[in-house]
Amino acid sequence: MALELDAEHHGGPPGPAEPVDLAAIRADPLTFLAELVAEYGPIARHVVDGRPVITVNDPAMVHQVLTANRANYVKSGTPDEQMLVPLLGRGLLTSDGEEWERQRQLAQPAFQHRHLVTFDTLMTTAASRVTDRWRAGAGTPFLIDRDLTALTLTVVAQALLGSDLSIGPRFGEAVDAANRVMGHDVGAGPDRRAFLDARTFLDHIVGLLIGSARFDDSGRDDLLAHLLRARSDERPEGFSPAELRDQVLTMLMAGHETTAKGLSWTFYLLDQHPAERTRLEAEVDVVLSGRLPTAADVSSLPVCRNVVLEALRLYPPVWLISRHAVAEDTIAGYRVPAGALVCISPWLLHRRPEAWGEDAEAFVPGRFVGRPELTGPGSSFLPFSAGPRQCIGQQFALLESTLVLATLVAGVRLHLVPGHPVVPEALVTLRPRDGLLMTAEPRGRADLVTS
């Protein structure tokens, strides 16, 4: 009761009177957040380990935190920082303030649309290899989330580094080891040693590739070459060696993990909604006529695009965004004390009936047709965050997801193995807890050809 009186006296948001055990939250964070907002409303407060945590679930409140008063809400001092910095250092995902602004200015030119579309062949070639593998093993169960992770790692590594050295088995194993450990307090046990070994290996490979690119960047057009050439008036020398290392690892890790999870959930949803799958297959067959897609085809694949968006809405890989309040603020009339942790959950925002209607829990890709306001600034659609810190790789991810999905759908139809459990698990990203065990049914032409 003391906490309730304290919150009322100081104008704080409503919330549970007693502190909440962190272990209980971690056991099922999605249910905890949903129940919290359902009971206390779009702005709610709870206390963990003596720290107030304020959850906001309204687009106007989100806009205040991520855009209008963003200087007051920083990444430093958040669980995101604690989880990611040990591996990624201070790259675009974890830096703050002037340091982040300088890095973003240097990196932004590498992510211009006219440059990103040149990677379309890389994306579809990698996807066609996976299609061939699934077709060859028709009827054999595959953990498709693992295959899609390997696919997206191949794409981002080659697009970023321009080298096949980055995608050998050891590299993938190191990435998996790092992902398993991030977000958990593993002390000094074997998991911690595996993480340190993985980080050492990744540092070594990234260092070699950066050194090679510095030695000879003639004719290179990968993202690393653009980062090496990046200059600004404030930073004529470009990225320092340490900054470059952090940027490369950040882009490798963030650039493959979220796309792989988004595609995994997409195929799960298509299997659960055969009418939507049939509609998508029809579009792909008509537009592609047996050839591999290109970036120029994306505008002719609206169903494919909307399927990707709807999967990102229902199963956003980045399910939680957190910020540290530097100074006291007021949100929707409620006091936010300095030092509070402010949380935004795309998982919750994407299910608000006020924004998405009474069918907010349903898979309806057609909801995006003719309604750009659903995904625009100030909306309840946040798969890539919002405001100035919106993901720099958003266009790359959407292009890759659309082209990979079209390529795979043209060659196979995936079916979930009967009885295989599918439970969302909110860790570093939102993933299927037990993987996605599916079988492939060949469809379409046996051999896709480039146009």
Side-chain angles (χ1 to χ4, degrees), residues 16 47 87 93 101 105 135 172 283 333 390 396:
V47 175
L87 176 67
L93 200 59
E101 290 179 2
Q105 183 184 17
R135 289 176 66 97
E283 176 184 84
Q390 189 172 49
F396 185 98

Side-chain angles (χ1 to χ4, degrees), residues 134 137-142 144 413-418 437-441:
W134 286 350
T140 302
F142 293 102
I144 68 144
R413 178 181 293 162
L414 297 178
H415 303 280
L416 187 71
V417 171
L437 194 63
M438 305 186 83
T439 57
E441 172 192 351

Side-chain angles (χ1 to χ4, degrees), residues 119 122 153-164 166-167 222:
F119 296 120
L122 168 62
L153 179 58
T154 295
V155 170
V156 75
Q158 290 187 340
L160 177 61
L161 302 175
S163 173
D164 290 338
S166 59
I167 56 172
D222 51 76

Side-chain angles (χ1 to χ4, degrees), residues 67-365:
T67 304
N69 195 21
R70 64 185 180 277
N72 188 55
Y73 297 98
V74 300
K75 285 217 170 183
S76 300
T78 65
D80 286 352
E81 179 194 45
Q82 299 165 6
M83 175 176 62
L84 298 173
V85 167
L87 176 67
L88 303 181
R90 295 289 177 181
L92 276 171
L93 200 59
T94 51
S95 58
D96 256 323
E98 292 182 0
E99 179 187 14
W100 173 83
E101 290 179 2
R102 185 181 66 248
Q103 292 182 16
R104 181 82 177 211
Q105 183 184 17
L106 288 169
Q108 190 67 58
F111 288 86
Q112 293 178 358
H113 180 74
R114 62 180 175 81
H115 178 59
L116 297 182
V117 295
T118 64
F119 296 120
D120 58 351
T121 300
L122 168 62
M123 296 168 178
T124 57
T125 299
S128 66
R129 292 194 189 108
V130 174
T131 304
D132 291 343
R133 177 170 176 267
W134 286 350
R135 289 176 66 97
T140 302
F142 293 102
L143 281 170
I144 68 144
D145 52 309
R146 289 186 182 177
D147 290 344
L148 291 169
T149 297
L151 189 163
T152 58
L153 179 58
T154 295
V155 170
V156 75
Q158 290 187 340
L160 177 61
L161 302 175
S163 173
D164 290 338
L165 289 175
S166 59
I167 56 172
R170 181 68 180 92
F171 189 93
E173 290 167 7
V175 168
D176 287 344
N179 275 333
R180 282 197 304 272
V181 173
M182 285 194 298
H184 299 277
D185 183 8
V186 296
D191 285 342
R192 177 64 177 173
R193 289 194 297 272
F195 171 79
L196 294 175
D197 288 344
R199 185 177 65 182
T200 298
F201 177 80
L202 292 171
D203 280 347
H204 177 66
I205 293 297
V206 169
L208 284 175
L209 292 166
I210 291 173
S212 174
R214 285 190 185 279
F215 179 74
D216 180 17
D217 68 349
S218 59
R220 292 176 63 112
D221 199 35
D222 51 76
L223 298 179
L224 176 56
H226 282 258
L227 294 177
L228 284 168
R229 294 192 290 264
R231 301 289 187 274
S232 69
D233 293 339
E234 294 78 15
R235 194 67 179 269
E237 72 276 19
F239 287 114
S240 71
E243 287 176 332
L244 196 61
R245 174 265 181 204
D246 292 351
Q247 302 307 336
V248 169
L249 261 185
T250 294
M251 292 174 188
L252 277 174
M253 299 297 288
H256 88 277
E257 173 75 5
T258 53
T259 303
K261 295 301 178 286
L263 285 167
S264 297
W265 289 116
T266 300
F267 279 107
Y268 166 69
L269 287 165
L270 290 171
D271 177 64
Q272 300 300 299
H273 300 83
E276 296 293 348
R277 180 178 61 198
T278 299
R279 186 174 294 112
L280 173 61
E281 291 172 349
E283 176 184 84
V284 167
D285 292 346
V286 169
V287 173
L288 300 184
S289 297
R291 62 176 174 82
L292 289 175
T294 69
D297 292 312
V298 170
S299 61
S300 300
L301 294 166
V303 175
C304 194
R305 171 188 175 276
N306 290 336
V307 164
V308 168
L309 294 179
E310 183 71 338
L312 289 174
R313 184 184 73 83
L314 285 173
Y315 293 95
V318 179
W319 60 276
L320 190 71
I321 300 166
S322 62
R323 295 290 188 267
H324 168 82
V326 176
E328 182 174 318
D329 193 17
T330 300
I331 297 179
Y334 292 105
R335 173 179 174 266
V336 177
L341 184 69
V342 178
C343 292
I344 299 160
S345 174
W347 171 268
L348 295 180
L349 274 171
H350 293 180
R351 285 168 163 74
R352 295 180 71 247
E354 299 88 341
W356 304 100
E358 294 305 314
D359 63 350
E361 296 280 349
F363 179 64
V364 186

Side-chain angles (χ1 to χ4, degrees), residues 33-34 37-38 40-44 55-63 310 312-316 332 343-362 367-368 371 373-374 376-382:
L33 289 170
V37 170
Y40 297 105
I43 178 168
T55 300
V56 297
N57 191 46
D58 175 89
M61 301 178 197
V62 170
H63 178 77
E310 183 71 338
L312 289 174
R313 184 184 73 83
L314 285 173
Y315 293 95
C343 292
I344 299 160
S345 174
W347 171 268
L348 295 180
L349 274 171
H350 293 180
R351 285 168 163 74
R352 295 180 71 247
E354 299 88 341
W356 304 100
E358 294 305 314
D359 63 350
E361 296 280 349
R367 74 174 73 245
F368 293 100
R371 299 188 65 190
E373 74 278 5
L374 289 179
S379 71
S380 291
F381 190 65
L382 235 68

Side-chain angles (χ1 to χ4, degrees), residues 397-431:
L398 289 175
L399 175 66
E400 180 183 6
S401 297
T402 303
L403 293 179
V404 167
L405 178 61
T407 303
L408 295 173
V409 165
V412 293
R413 178 181 293 162
L414 297 178
H415 303 280
L416 187 71
V417 171
H420 183 74
V422 180
V423 179
E425 185 177 33
L427 296 177
V428 180
T429 54
L430 186 67
R431 68 177 191 176

